[in-house]
Amino acid sequence: MACLEIAGGRPLYGELTVQGSKNAALPILAACILGDGPCRIENCPRIQDVEDTVSILKMLGCRVERTGQTVSVDASRMEKDSIDGPEAIRIRSSVLFLGALLGRMGKATLPHPGGCAIGSRPIDLHLKALQKLGVRFDMQENAHSDAHNLTAGVFHGKICARADHLHGGSVTLAMPSVGATENAILAAVCADGVTVIHRAAMEPEVEELCDFLRARGARISREEDRSIRIHGVKTLSPVRHRLRADRIVAGSYLLAAASCGGCVCIRNLPSGQLDALYAVLRGMGVVIDADGTVRADLPLKAAEEVVTAPYPGFPTDLQSPLMAALCTAGGESRIRETVFENRFLTAVQLRNMGARIEIKGETARIEGVARLHGAAVNAPDLRGGAALVQAALAAAGRTTIYGYEYIARGYEDICRDYRALGAEIHLMENNSSEG
């Protein structure tokens, strides 16, 4: 186990480059099993979630090679249709292999996916979408799941799926779930007939998955009503694809630059994907130039109310970093979390650093303080861990952050990136009983 040691309280100066997108890499890597021949994924970040996905691909019989930032996947000799092992349980995105395996093999067995504890996150939307395409689920192996939990999509064992004839269908999602949209796309792209996904997610990562599949020969279009129409094809060709920048990593670095003050240039910002964040930051008094240069005079202004929502709304993944920035803003700010019911866990840790945060239901009220102070804190999840790093950089004194493994799931080298801006941040072995 490792922890981060950070000496904060200094402005940030310099430049850094945003890594490739985690949330695009994971479904695209799963999509590589649809069709034979090598697919080359460039600008693929070296993060734990990607490494776990690569392990799953190898487990299925794919040939996978990484050279620098490029991952090559050849599924030509893939024969397995089941996934087991700690990698599949550890990451939420392993559920995307459900649609991909069904599209390739017509059947799939995998454990219930893991991921960060940010809410119940049932997979009922995934299952209902796939059932519309002719998929049957056999839950007899889920010995600890009662009938109520199976209906709700909550399992404690394996998910077993089969489609004797995978076919097109009309899928209407109860909410625009990114994962359910991606699973339906992966299953439908080589199915017989036409599939229409109503209330499909609009996130840029969904669009990038569609672009990747179109380059391989898939017939996918976004309709005027925002639904996704898929005409099934028989085969997909190998392709070379370069991942776009990670908008959530970019957003957290923008918020860190705002929190600490100074002048930071962030290269490779994803164009047009962070408009909701830009609007909030500018309201807080932050200047963002066209070239990615960020300047902020402290203290920041408070944000009257920010509401998280599916894209193009304010991203739930940036709610914790925004909260960290608002801890030292002048006045009272409010954040309303409408996506996940358990995403205010970071507030407890920020309070340990001197923050004044009150949680009532889905709303967090933040009363700005002059400055946070260093403390020993625990990363509750991936984005919460990044928010604590941001808070520690702005805080007076030294902070120790336990639970670095959460941060490593989504940030290629957070120490390297912040040191490039003059921060004093080090990765240490955690030999204590804390965290």
Side-chain angles (χ1 to χ4, degrees):
M1 304 293 287
C3 61
L4 292 173
E5 295 280 354
I6 300 170
R10 66 185 70 177
L12 300 178
Y13 293 95
E15 66 177 54
L16 57 79
T17 301
V18 179
Q19 68 192 49
S21 172
K22 162 188 176 285
N23 289 338
L26 303 181
I28 285 174
L29 286 170
C32 288
I33 71 174
L34 295 169
D36 296 333
C39 290
R40 291 168 54 86
I41 313 303
E42 300 175 349
N43 197 31
C44 195
R46 286 185 174 273
I47 55 176
Q48 190 59 53
D49 275 17
V50 166
E51 298 311 309
D52 285 343
T53 302
V54 165
S55 295
I56 291 171
L57 288 166
K58 291 179 178 178
M59 187 188 310
L60 290 171
C62 299
R63 181 179 177 182
V64 187
E65 296 179 355
R66 179 187 272 276
T67 304
Q69 297 300 111
T70 298
V71 174
S72 298
V73 182
D74 190 343
S76 300
R77 298 183 180 180
M78 181 186 134
E79 296 181 350
K80 291 187 65 176
D81 55 48
S82 64
I83 297 172
D84 203 354
E87 298 88 356
I89 299 172
R90 189 160 50 225
I91 58 173
R92 174 73 178 176
S93 60
S94 63
V95 75
L96 296 174
F97 281 95
L98 186 57
L101 281 169
L102 286 164
R104 166 85 184 214
M105 310 294 287
K107 54 184 177 177
T109 302
L110 63 155
H112 189 274
C116 292
I118 56 176
S120 59
R121 307 172 87 188
I123 59 169
D124 58 316
L125 297 182
H126 302 244
L127 306 186
K128 290 174 181 176
L130 293 171
Q131 285 173 334
K132 295 293 186 180
L133 307 183
V135 180
R136 304 191 317 275
F137 292 95
D138 178 5
M139 302 304 179
Q140 293 179 359
E141 294 188 34
N142 294 277
H144 300 288
S145 294
D146 58 27
H148 170 76
N149 281 337
L150 294 181
T151 302
V154 180
F155 309 112
H156 302 283
K158 291 184 178 180
I159 303 167
C160 304
R162 177 180 292 275
D164 296 330
H165 176 217
L166 200 61
H167 57 74
S170 178
V171 175
T172 301
L173 298 176
M175 61 174 290
S177 160
V178 172
T181 300
E182 291 171 339
N183 246 332
I185 291 169
L186 292 168
V189 73
C190 290
D192 289 337
V194 178
T195 298
V196 180
I197 307 171
H198 301 281
R199 298 198 71 191
M202 298 284 293
E203 272 70 4
E205 296 81 16
V206 173
E207 298 304 319
E208 187 164 359
L209 172 63
C210 291
D211 288 344
F212 170 76
L213 290 168
R214 286 189 199 102
R216 300 189 66 187
R219 296 176 62 193
I220 306 174
S221 60
R222 177 76 75 166
E223 305 293 281
E224 289 185 4
D225 63 357
R226 299 187 176 184
S227 63
I228 295 176
R229 182 177 295 270
I230 304 165
H231 292 259
V233 297
K234 295 298 182 185
T235 59
L236 297 176
S237 305
V239 76
R240 186 176 187 170
H241 178 83
R242 182 173 180 82
L243 291 170
R244 294 158 198 161
D246 192 308
R247 66 189 175 100
I248 304 302
V249 170
S252 64
Y253 287 162
L254 285 165
L255 283 160
S259 297
C260 295
C263 183
V264 173
C265 183
I266 303 177
R267 305 292 185 191
N268 198 32
L269 281 174
S271 176
Q273 295 184 13
L274 290 168
D275 290 349
L277 173 62
Y278 282 10
V280 172
L281 283 172
R282 286 171 177 146
M284 295 165 63
V286 180
V287 176
I288 308 172
D289 293 338
D291 66 352
T293 299
V294 186
R295 299 185 304 277
D297 293 327
L298 303 181
L300 300 171
K301 298 176 183 177
E304 183 174 337
E305 183 175 59
V306 178
V307 181
T308 65
Y311 189 86
F314 190 91
T316 181
D317 280 350
L318 289 177
Q319 180 254 100
S320 292
L322 175 63
M323 180 183 288
L326 292 173
C327 285
T328 53
E332 180 180 305
S333 304
R334 290 191 304 277
I335 301 175
R336 189 154 63 91
E337 173 60 59
T338 69
V339 180
F340 292 115
E341 75 277 9
N342 198 28
R343 203 149 202 181
F344 285 140
L345 296 175
T346 311
V348 176
Q349 305 301 318
L350 290 170
R351 287 193 197 110
N352 292 337
M353 301 177 70
R356 295 178 183 172
I357 305 171
E358 180 184 4
I359 307 297
K360 286 187 177 180
E362 63 180 16
T363 300
R365 186 176 66 83
I366 306 111
E367 183 182 344
V369 297
R371 179 162 253 183
L372 299 177
H373 58 74
V377 293
N378 295 279
D381 51 58
L382 166 56
R383 306 306 175 184
L388 292 176
V389 173
Q390 169 192 327
L393 291 170
R398 290 188 170 270
T399 298
T400 302
I401 302 175
Y402 298 99
Y404 173 74
E405 64 275 10
Y406 285 114
I407 300 169
R409 288 187 48 224
Y411 290 77
E412 191 171 66
D413 191 339
I414 203 166
C415 293
R416 173 201 65 198
D417 290 346
Y418 281 128
R419 279 200 291 264
L421 306 181
E424 186 178 332
I425 176 172
H426 302 282
L427 181 62
M428 312 289 288
E429 289 301 318
N430 174 18
N431 296 317
S432 76
S433 61
E434 296 184 69

